[in-house]
Structure formats: structure tokens, C-alpha cells
């Protein structure tokens, strides 16, 4: 079943065409990554899906409902954790639910504990490392009731080892819940490790150059990075982007 459908989406700023006639479908429980060159319109695409911008042409459907220009329909995790400094970890995690009029504190505490943050349930963001803040931000997105989670390069500011730890943690949590995810990244290895599908955008005006189904079985471990098939797919994606 399709959760998100982008039907012939176009967007301009003045005379500058950013996205043109873009078609994309994301199905229930899929983890889909978007790769593309800098300035190709990835952030604009997320702003359109999130309702911050409206498309000039085309329709954005979420579970069959037109959400053009509608905010609050998706769960969004930006590059920076965007935690409220005056709220505790638990209060930040519950924020998405509270905005929708629901609150499951017991489940939130359970998720925080599974993230290895049991000692920080009532701590404030200033007491957390960068990786810890990203875990809290992802748990907030995961617990929000919207049917689609959009992740905008959430690990780009982390060092390489922390980034790998976060990728493995995100994958383990996602495989338990199988929420529908649209993930923006510049990192080919990250996209291959996490995704069911990889969508490659052209230079602007952005359209879809390629849409690959990734064949690696789940669950996945870091040993995948050393397998021949992984290197073959990395070359394939690299050449498609070129």
C-alpha cells in the first residue's frame, strides 16, 4: 500500500526551477533513501512534503489524502536534533504525541531505555552528547503518530565512528517497528546499509534519474560493508549519480 505519492510535482523560485515533473511512491513500511548532488532540491522536496512550501504543479498524497501546503501531516527529523532546551529528554520525546493530543509516557520511557539512555530520562539536552541528542530526536520522530517519517541527513554532523553506531542503532530500532521512512543523505554507503530502495535525483530542476531496489537481506550488520556485493552496488550507485 502506498503511504506517500508525489504526482508530477514541480516547484520554482522566481524563474529558478528547482523540481520538475517529479514522480515518486513510497510504500508502507519501506525505508527509501534519496541521493543527489548538492543543490539538487532534496531539502525543497522535504519542505513540500512537510507543507512548508506548496508545489506549483502536481499533487502530494499521504495515505490517499491531498496534503499540498498542509503542515503537521508527517514526522520530521532535521540535521540538527532541534530539542527544546527547557524540556527534559522524556518531555522532548513526547512532544510529537502531545501536539496530536495523545501521550504514551510508558512507551516513551521504554524506548528511551532501549536507546541506552535510561539514566537520562529526566536530563536536559545540555547534558547529552551529540549522538545522544540524535537518539532522542529519532525516538521523538518514531513515536509521533504520523504515517511517514522524513529524516534529513540526521547523522551528517557526527564523526565517522559515532555515525556508524547511530546507523546500526537506527536500523535495529526501525526493524522492530517498520515505520515508513524517507531519508535524505549524501553518503552512498549509508544509503545502501539502511535502505530498501535508493532514489537518485538529477541536478536541478530535480527529477528522478534512477530508482534501485536494494537486495541485501535483513537484519543487516556492519560486516555488510566488507562484502563484494556491497562494493558492486556502491560502484553502481556512484556511476548512476555521475
Amino acid at each position: 500500500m502506498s503511504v506517500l505519492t508525489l504526482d508530477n510535482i514541480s516547484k520554482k523560485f522566481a524563474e529558478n526551477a528547482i523540481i520538475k515533473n517529479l514522480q515518486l511512491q513510497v510504500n508502507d513500511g519501506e525505508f527509501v533513501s534519496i541521493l543527489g548532488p548538492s543543490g539538487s532540491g532534496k531539502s525543497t522536496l522535504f519542505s513540500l512534503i512537510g507543507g512548508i512550501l506548496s508545489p506549483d504543479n502536481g499533487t502530494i498524497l499521504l495515505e490517499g489524502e491531498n496534503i499540498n501546503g498542509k503542515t503537521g501531516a508527517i514526522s520530521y527529523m532535521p540535521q540538527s536534533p532541534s530539542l527544546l532546551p527547557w524540556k527534559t529528554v522524556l518531555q522532548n520525546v513526547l512532544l510529537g504525541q502531545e501536539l496530536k493530543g495523545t501521550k504514551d509516557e510508558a512507551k516513551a520511557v521504554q524506548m528511551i531505555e532501549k536507546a541506552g539512555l535510561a539514566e537520562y530520562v529526566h536530563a536536559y539536552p545540555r547534558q547529552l552528547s551529540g549522538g545522544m541528542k540524535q537518539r532522542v530526536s529519532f525516538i521523538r520522530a518514531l513515536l509521533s503518530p504520523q504515517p511517514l517519517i522524513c529524516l534529513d541527513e540526521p547523522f551528517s554532523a557526527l564523526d565517522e565512528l559515532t555515525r556508524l553506531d547511530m546507523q546500526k542503532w537506527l536500523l535495529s530500532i526501525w526493524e522492530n517497528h517498520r515505520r515508513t521512512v524517507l531519508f535524505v543523505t549524501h553518503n552512498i554507503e549509508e544509503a545502501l546499509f539502511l535502505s530498501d530502495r535508493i532514489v537518485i535525483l538529477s541536478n536541478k530542476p530535480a527529477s528522478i534519474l534512477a530508482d534501485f531496489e536494494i537486495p541485501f537481506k535483513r537484519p543487516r550488520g556492519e560486516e555488510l560493508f566488507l562484502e563484494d556485493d556491497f562494493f558492486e552496488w556502491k560502484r553502481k550507485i556512484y556511476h548512476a549519480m555521475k
Side-chain angles (χ1 to χ4, degrees), residues 20-25 197 199-202 206-211:
K20 186 175 181 180
N21 301 332
L22 191 143
Q23 301 274 154
L24 177 65
Q25 182 170 303
R197 285 166 51 211
V199 172
I200 298 175
L201 296 186
S202 67
S207 58
I208 292 178
L209 285 178
D211 188 336

Side-chain angles (χ1 to χ4, degrees), residues 40-227:
S40 63
K42 298 186 295 296
S43 294
T44 300
L45 185 61
F46 266 18
S47 294
L48 290 166
I49 295 168
I52 298 169
L53 300 173
S54 294
D56 298 327
N57 298 103
T59 305
I60 303 170
L61 298 174
L62 188 68
E63 295 187 324
E65 178 188 348
N66 186 329
I67 59 165
N68 285 21
K70 181 180 178 180
T71 58
I74 65 162
S75 178
Y76 176 68
M77 179 178 171
Q79 293 180 26
S80 59
S82 299
L83 302 179
L84 300 179
W86 61 88
K87 287 185 176 287
T88 65
V89 165
L90 179 59
Q91 290 168 338
N92 270 287
V93 162
L94 289 169
L95 186 60
Q97 291 184 344
E98 288 180 352
L99 293 174
K100 285 291 184 178
T102 63
K103 191 161 75 167
D104 188 341
E105 189 167 313
K107 186 175 181 181
V109 170
Q110 184 181 50
M111 291 287 291
I112 293 167
E113 289 174 348
K114 284 185 177 179
L117 299 173
E119 298 177 16
Y120 297 91
V121 171
H122 302 295
Y124 290 89
R126 65 179 179 273
Q127 298 170 275
L128 307 180
S129 68
M132 289 175 177
K133 290 176 184 177
Q134 290 296 70
R135 291 186 187 210
V136 173
S137 186
F138 181 65
I139 293 168
R140 179 176 62 191
L142 197 64
L143 288 175
S144 294
Q146 296 91 339
L148 176 69
I149 301 174
C150 289
L151 306 178
D152 188 1
E153 297 193 77
F155 308 141
S156 60
L158 302 178
D159 65 79
E160 190 171 345
L161 288 177
T162 305
R163 184 171 184 149
L164 177 58
D165 285 341
M166 286 301 302
Q167 290 165 2
K168 291 189 294 183
W169 177 81
L170 184 152
L171 204 53
S172 68
I173 295 294
W174 176 82
E175 285 176 346
N176 286 330
H177 296 269
R178 292 290 173 133
R179 295 288 303 276
T180 307
V181 171
L182 193 60
F183 183 89
V184 163
T185 179
H186 282 93
N187 189 303
I188 296 174
E189 289 191 350
E190 181 171 73
L192 284 169
F193 183 55
L194 296 173
S195 308
D196 297 310
R197 285 166 51 211
I198 294 178
V199 172
I200 298 175
L201 296 186
S202 67
N203 277 308
K204 63 182 180 183
S207 58
I208 292 178
L209 285 178
D211 188 336
F212 294 107
E213 287 196 24
I214 306 304
F216 307 133
K217 294 179 180 178
R218 298 187 185 276
R220 298 173 186 170
E222 61 185 294
E223 65 277 358
L224 178 62
F225 288 104
L226 302 177
E227 293 182 6

